[in-house]
Amino acid sequence: MSDQSNPQLIASAQLAVLSSLATAAAHRAYAPYSRFFVGAAILLETGEIVTGCNVENASYRLTTCAEQTAIARAVAEFGPAIRLRAVVVANLNHTACQPCGACRQTIAEFAPPSALIVFPGPNAQPATTTLAELLPSSFTLTRTD
C-alpha cells in the first residue's frame, strides 16, 4: 500500500474535500458503545459525493459501518448502477482505521479494482491504496454495464 495519493486518479483538492466531509460525517456517528466515531465520503463516477457514518447497535452484530452507510445512501439516492471512484474514511479517535472486511466486500460490489481508498494509517496519517491492493480476492459479480 502506498502512503501518498495518486494525483492521476483524484485531484488533491478533491481529496481534501472528501476528507473534510468524512470527518464531518464522523461527528454525526452513533457510537455510544465503542466511542469510535467513523465517517466516510464516497465519490461516484458521476462526480456526486455521498457521506455516511457508523451506526452502532447494542448487539454489535447489527452495527453498520460508515462505508456501508454511505454506499447504501448512494444506492437509495441514485440507484443500483452507482460506481465508486473513491472512498475516504476518517475517525475522531486519531487512530489507524482501514475498512473492515465486510466494508471491503461492499465497496467491491460497486467499485472497480482501481478505486482509490484513503483511510487513517499509522499515527493517524492518511494512507492511500486501491481496492485491488486492499482486497485482492474479492467476490465479484460479472457486470454487463
Side-chain angles (χ1 to χ4, degrees):
M1 287 184 230
S2 59
D3 31 326
Q4 297 181 10
S5 64
N6 183 339
Q8 297 167 340
L9 293 176
I10 309 292
S12 60
Q14 193 163 39
L15 281 175
V17 168
L18 290 165
S19 179
S20 178
L21 290 170
T23 299
H27 281 281
R28 295 186 297 273
Y30 178 71
Y33 307 103
S34 71
R35 309 296 297 164
F36 194 69
F37 301 91
V38 182
I42 60 174
L43 175 64
L44 303 179
E45 291 281 339
T46 62
E48 300 285 346
I49 298 172
V50 181
T51 62
C53 61
N54 59 318
V55 179
E56 292 183 348
N57 186 283
S59 75
Y60 279 100
R61 170 61 179 89
L62 297 177
T63 293
T64 306
C65 297
E67 300 92 313
Q68 292 175 328
T69 301
I71 291 169
R73 282 188 65 203
V75 170
E77 288 185 42
F78 303 106
I82 63 160
R83 299 298 288 155
L84 309 180
R85 283 188 63 206
V87 176
V88 177
V89 179
N91 71 66
L92 304 182
N93 301 79
H94 309 294
T95 187
C97 178
Q98 291 185 8
C100 72
C103 287
R104 293 174 193 205
Q105 186 59 51
T106 302
I107 293 165
E109 191 71 18
F110 297 98
S114 62
L116 186 67
I117 313 294
V118 181
F119 54 89
N123 300 316
Q125 295 302 308
T128 302
T129 189
T130 64
L131 177 59
E133 291 173 328
L134 196 61
L135 185 64
S137 298
S138 65
F139 295 97
T140 58
L141 170 69
T142 303
R143 297 188 79 88
T144 58
D145 57 323

